[in-house]
Amino acid sequence: MKTVITFGTFDVLHIGHLRILERAKAHGDRLVVGVSSDALNMSKKGRNPIFSETERSTLIEALQVVDEVFVEESLELKAEYVQKYGADVLVMGDDWAGRFDWIKEHCEVVYLPRTPSISTTAVIEKISKLPSA
Ligand code: C2G
């Protein structure tokens, strides 16, 4: 049994999020996902996510490809999370390339190309430009 772990905010869930989870799962048998807490998101991006950590975790947990979800409280706790969930592989999108290489002493680290032309920010901008009903 090979366990894969990945992390993300997964705010305003979109196809790029699903695709990376599917591609992460393909690296093993069991997929564990750390969903960034609201506080972590605030510290990384300077704003609150649209959906709360409870809503985001519930959506991720409902996906067939996902086996287990927990709330990620800090970027620095990655090694602890890897150990706690028995992860053999850490997968992240390549916007994080190199940033988690320090985990390599605990497990394999893989960066996958992002799905082009979609992001939470782009979806929010598209919606905000719609004429109001
Ligand atoms: N992603 C992707 N393609 C996109 C958009 C996102 O493959 N078009 C991937 C990202 O590379 C990341 C995952 O989807 O691996 C989640 O993306 P975000 O929700 O933006 O996550 P982020 O805020 O970068 O949080 O500890 C790491 C952080 O928690 C990552």
Side-chain angles (χ1 to χ4, degrees):
M1 169 74 84
K2 195 169 172 186
T3 298
V4 183
I5 195 166
T6 191
F7 297 85
T9 308
F10 303 105
D11 194 23
V12 189
L13 197 61
H14 59 66
I15 194 75
H17 295 144
L18 179 62
R19 293 287 176 248
I20 196 143
L21 294 172
E22 289 172 336
R23 289 180 294 149
K25 176 74 171 259
H27 280 74
D29 310 295
R30 170 174 171 257
L31 179 62
V32 179
V33 183
V35 173
S36 301
S37 69
D38 293 337
L40 175 55
N41 197 76
M42 181 56 109
S43 75
K44 278 190 305 189
K45 298 184 182 172
R47 67 165 177 83
N48 273 316
I50 303 288
F51 294 116
S52 71
E53 62 191 43
T54 308
E55 292 167 325
R56 291 180 286 109
S57 305
T58 303
L59 286 164
I60 295 299
E61 199 155 25
L63 299 175
Q64 214 163 25
V65 73
V66 174
D67 297 289
E68 191 167 349
V69 169
F70 66 94
V71 174
E72 177 194 26
E73 303 285 355
S74 160
L75 295 181
E76 281 77 44
L77 288 175
K78 286 235 161 30
E80 282 81 351
Y81 294 134
V82 162
Q83 271 159 4
K84 180 171 179 188
Y85 292 95
D88 302 288
V89 191
L90 166 63
V91 171
M92 289 302 299
D94 62 3
D95 45 328
W96 290 92
R99 298 272 300 276
F100 299 125
D101 285 356
W102 58 278
I103 312 287
K104 282 182 182 167
E105 58 185 87
H106 301 280
C107 72
E108 192 186 334
V109 177
V110 175
Y111 303 100
L112 298 178
R114 279 168 65 96
T115 299
S117 316
I118 180 123
S119 68
T120 296
T121 307
V123 173
I124 293 170
E125 276 175 16
K126 199 169 171 181
I127 293 170
S128 69
K129 282 182 188 144
L130 290 175
S132 48

